């Protein structure tokens, strides 16, 4: 009584014999049957297992949204069962790093912060590592109030600046307690730390001071953050750069890479328009090609904040209401999976992001074999994060060219 769309995904193991496969797909509804002839070409090149991935992927997971949409109490047995299903889905999308919830402040009777509780965050971290994540990293601790501020303020005490004496006291308590958890669980080789979401040029110095406190209390731990500044020298190891910001300062970021910094790229609600992004109303290639452009620009990972940030009615209201409805983000920006009957349901966009991660691995292999040829191939479909093809047929031909080249 209408139309129905199917997304068919066929997995092949790395030891599958290369060659053409021919078969049929039967769809039976009541007494009706449709038979569709299908063929698939298996190539001899292989995407590495996730534990051997060279390209990183992050989508932030929000436990509170799981509780609300699936009607489970936080930290209950039902919650952890559901949390496990979402973590499995993130792994299927080739996510390699999971951001943990931040520690919770412990206060005395007068409201003074006297410590921090990482019990819940540690449970999430252990579950993620047990299921197969390569790395976990600690949640944010501070952020500016306005992007022009010269200070970062503590997330749990928004009037306390990170560069103040009180800020130092609380941050020292935080990082020392977090480091104790790292040592307790044996995480040191698989743990990183986040500090601030999107530090800006005006507050770069306060970010560097905050980083210094972290490094004093957590020796040997790498720092990873989404950044919108080029002036954070020495403050972090993994620079996750917004696509539009990178296109504005490519030479400066590449100089940082040559000095030892690792570059990733991220997309979010802004800027809109033609920029590569994952919004529902953009070309499917806008959410698939960021990983191709990342490889071309010597970036080794991709981040998007919106994995499961839903409104109350995620199937009807796809523009996430940020800041209690003050503004709405582009459609689908807040999420890439839906809350299904008993766990997450993939979107076409999540399948495409996974495919982009797989293709990034193949492109890195091609770059290692013939960098000039690999760059020429990428240039056929994208030359910047704003200049890319929307022609699906062209992309399919170029992807086939990549598979054939690697198979040779």
């Amino acid at each position: 009584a209408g139309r129905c769309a199917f997304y068919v995904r066929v997995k092949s193991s790395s030891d599958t014999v290369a060659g053409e496969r021919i078969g049929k797909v039967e769809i039976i509804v009541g007494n009706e049957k449709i038979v569709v002839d299908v063929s698939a070409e298996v190539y001899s090149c292989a995407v590495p297992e996730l534990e051997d991935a060279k390209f990183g992927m992050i989508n932030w997971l929000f436990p509170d949204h799981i509780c609300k949409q699936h009607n489970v109490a936080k930290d209950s047995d039902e919650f952890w069962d559901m949390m496990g299903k979402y973590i499995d889905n993130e792994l299927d999308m080739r996510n390699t790093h999971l951001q943990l919830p931040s520690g919770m402040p412990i206060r005395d009777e007068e409201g003074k912060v006297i410590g921090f509780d990482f019990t819940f965050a540690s449970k999430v971290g252990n579950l993620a590592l047990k299921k197969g994540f390569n790395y976990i990293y600690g949640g944010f601790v501070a952020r500016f109030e306005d992007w022009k501020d010269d200070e970062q303020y503590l997330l749990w005490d928004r009037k306390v600046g990170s560069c103040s004496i009180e800020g130092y006291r609380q941050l020292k308590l935080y990082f020392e307690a977090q480091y104790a958890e790292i040592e307790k669980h044996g995480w040191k080789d698989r743990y990183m730390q986040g500090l601030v979401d999107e530090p800006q040029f005006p507050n770069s110095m306060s970010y560097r001071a905050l980083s210094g406190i972290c490094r004093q209390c957590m020796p040997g731990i790498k720092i990873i953050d989404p950044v919108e500044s080029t002036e954070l020298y020495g403050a972090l190891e993994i620079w996750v750069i917004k696509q539009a910001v990178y296109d504005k300062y490519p030479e400066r970021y590449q100089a940082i890479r040559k000095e030892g910094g690792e570059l990733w790229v991220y997309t979010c609600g802004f800027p809109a328009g033609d920029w590569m992004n994952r919004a529902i109303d953009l070309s499917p290639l806008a959410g698939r090609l960021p990983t191709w452009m990342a490889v071309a620009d010597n970036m080794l990972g991709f981040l998007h904040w919106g994995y499961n940030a839903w409104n109350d009615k995620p199937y009807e209201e796809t523009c996430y209401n940020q800041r209690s409805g003050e503004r709405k983000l582009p459609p689908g920006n807040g999420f890439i999976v839906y809350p299904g009957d008993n766990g997450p349901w993939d979107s076409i966009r999540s399948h495409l992001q996974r495919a982009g991660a797989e293709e990034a691995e193949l492109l890195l292999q091609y770059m290692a074999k013939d960098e000039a040829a690999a760059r020429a191939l990428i240039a056929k479909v994208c030359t910047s994060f704003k200049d890319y093809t929307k022609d699906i047929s062209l992309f399919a031909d170029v992807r086939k060219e990549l598979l054939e080249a690697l198979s040779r």
Side-chain angles (χ1 to χ4, degrees):
R3 295 191 301 172
C4 187
F6 293 86
Y7 182 95
V8 180
R9 175 179 167 194
V10 180
K11 296 183 181 181
S12 61
S13 61
S14 60
D15 59 354
T16 301
V17 177
E20 186 180 23
R21 300 293 191 278
I22 298 174
K24 299 179 184 295
V25 172
E26 293 185 353
I27 303 168
I28 300 171
V29 181
N31 295 323
E32 295 183 79
K33 181 171 73 171
I34 298 172
V35 179
V36 182
D37 293 322
V38 296
S39 64
E41 183 76 18
V42 179
Y43 294 88
S44 59
C45 53
V47 176
E49 296 296 329
L50 197 60
E51 63 186 15
D52 298 318
K54 289 183 171 57
F55 191 84
M57 180 76 72
I58 296 173
N59 287 267
W60 291 345
L61 176 61
F62 297 94
D64 289 345
H65 284 273
I66 292 176
C67 294
K68 188 173 183 179
Q69 288 295 331
H70 293 282
N71 195 29
V72 293
K74 192 172 183 177
D75 208 16
S76 65
D77 290 343
E78 294 78 11
F79 167 82
W80 289 113
D81 178 66
M82 189 63 66
M83 187 71 165
K85 294 175 181 178
Y86 277 83
I87 288 177
D88 287 340
N89 179 265
E90 285 225 343
L91 291 168
D92 182 65
M93 285 175 56
R94 292 192 67 86
N95 279 284
T96 54
H97 298 57
L98 183 77
Q99 185 185 47
L100 304 183
S102 301
M104 299 299 296
I106 302 170
R107 302 179 186 270
D108 64 14
E109 294 178 353
E110 298 178 352
K112 180 180 179 180
V113 174
I114 57 174
F116 290 87
D117 183 0
F118 289 91
T119 303
F120 180 73
S122 293
K123 285 185 178 182
V124 174
N126 282 325
L127 180 60
L129 292 176
K130 180 180 178 181
K131 281 186 167 290
F133 265 88
N134 294 358
Y135 299 98
I136 53 176
Y137 72 103
F140 301 125
V141 300
R143 200 169 196 257
F144 50 85
E145 286 288 348
D146 182 270
W147 71 273
K148 296 180 181 178
D149 288 345
D150 61 2
E151 176 65 293
Q152 310 287 353
Y153 298 91
L154 305 187
L155 292 182
W156 53 88
D157 272 342
R158 295 301 287 154
K159 294 183 179 180
V160 177
S162 61
C163 292
S164 67
I165 294 175
E166 176 61 13
Y168 173 73
R169 184 189 73 83
Q170 292 194 33
L171 287 167
K172 192 168 184 293
L173 287 174
Y174 186 100
F175 291 130
E176 287 178 346
Q178 179 70 92
Y179 197 67
E181 289 292 303
I182 294 169
E183 292 188 314
K184 173 183 175 182
H185 297 287
W187 290 346
K188 195 165 184 179
D189 293 336
R190 302 178 69 185
Y191 184 89
M192 300 176 183
Q193 183 62 48
L195 299 177
V196 175
D197 185 16
E198 299 178 325
Q200 306 288 317
F201 279 94
N203 41 72
S204 294
M205 289 303 293
S206 61
Y207 180 92
R208 292 169 73 179
L210 173 59
S211 170
I213 301 171
C214 177
R215 295 195 189 285
Q216 176 194 28
C217 302
M218 303 174 71
I221 299 300
K222 290 183 178 181
I223 297 174
I224 174 174
D225 271 326
V227 301
E228 295 196 14
S229 168
T230 63
E231 299 175 354
L232 307 172
Y233 317 111
L236 72 166
E237 280 73 28
I238 301 180
W239 301 59
V240 188
I241 312 156
K242 184 186 288 186
Q243 84 283 50
V245 176
Y246 176 80
D247 271 10
K248 193 173 182 179
Y249 308 104
E251 295 83 6
R252 293 170 74 174
Y253 283 117
Q254 287 301 326
I256 289 167
R257 181 185 64 84
K258 291 176 181 178
E259 292 165 1
E262 183 174 320
L263 304 186
W264 288 30
V265 68
Y266 79 93
T267 62
C268 63
F270 307 97
D274 286 335
W275 293 95
M276 289 183 186
N277 218 322
R278 288 185 344 193
I280 290 172
D281 57 351
L282 293 180
S283 161
L285 290 176
R288 186 170 187 162
L289 286 174
T291 58
W292 287 61
M293 198 63 233
V295 172
D297 285 329
N298 302 298
M299 296 175 168
L300 295 177
F302 171 82
L303 178 148
H304 195 291
W305 76 275
Y307 171 71
N308 68 319
W310 303 298
N311 293 319
D312 291 343
K313 298 178 179 179
Y315 292 91
E316 293 83 13
E317 300 174 5
T318 61
C319 295
Y320 184 63
N321 296 326
Q322 192 181 39
R323 300 177 183 170
S324 302
E326 288 181 23
R327 63 179 180 181
K328 292 185 176 181
L329 298 179
N333 182 253
F335 67 93
I336 198 169
V337 296
Y338 290 84
D341 293 338
N342 190 31
W345 282 350
D346 280 300
S347 66
I348 292 296
R349 294 175 301 129
S350 71
H351 284 299
L352 295 179
Q353 185 179 305
R354 186 204 70 255
E358 293 175 341
E359 288 151 6
E361 295 286 354
L362 298 175
L363 288 166
L364 287 171
Q365 293 175 24
Y366 198 18
M367 291 279 277
K369 294 177 183 293
D370 189 337
E371 181 175 345
R375 292 190 178 281
L377 188 74
I378 294 171
K380 291 182 179 181
V381 292
C382 56
T383 55
S384 77
F385 289 105
K386 198 173 183 179
D387 182 13
Y388 59 94
T389 185
K390 300 178 179 67
D391 185 335
I392 303 296
S393 296
L394 171 62
F395 174 79
D397 289 342
V398 173
R399 181 178 183 274
K400 183 178 180 180
E401 194 176 337
L402 169 65
L403 297 173
E404 289 176 343
L406 282 177
S407 295
R408 287 194 298 272

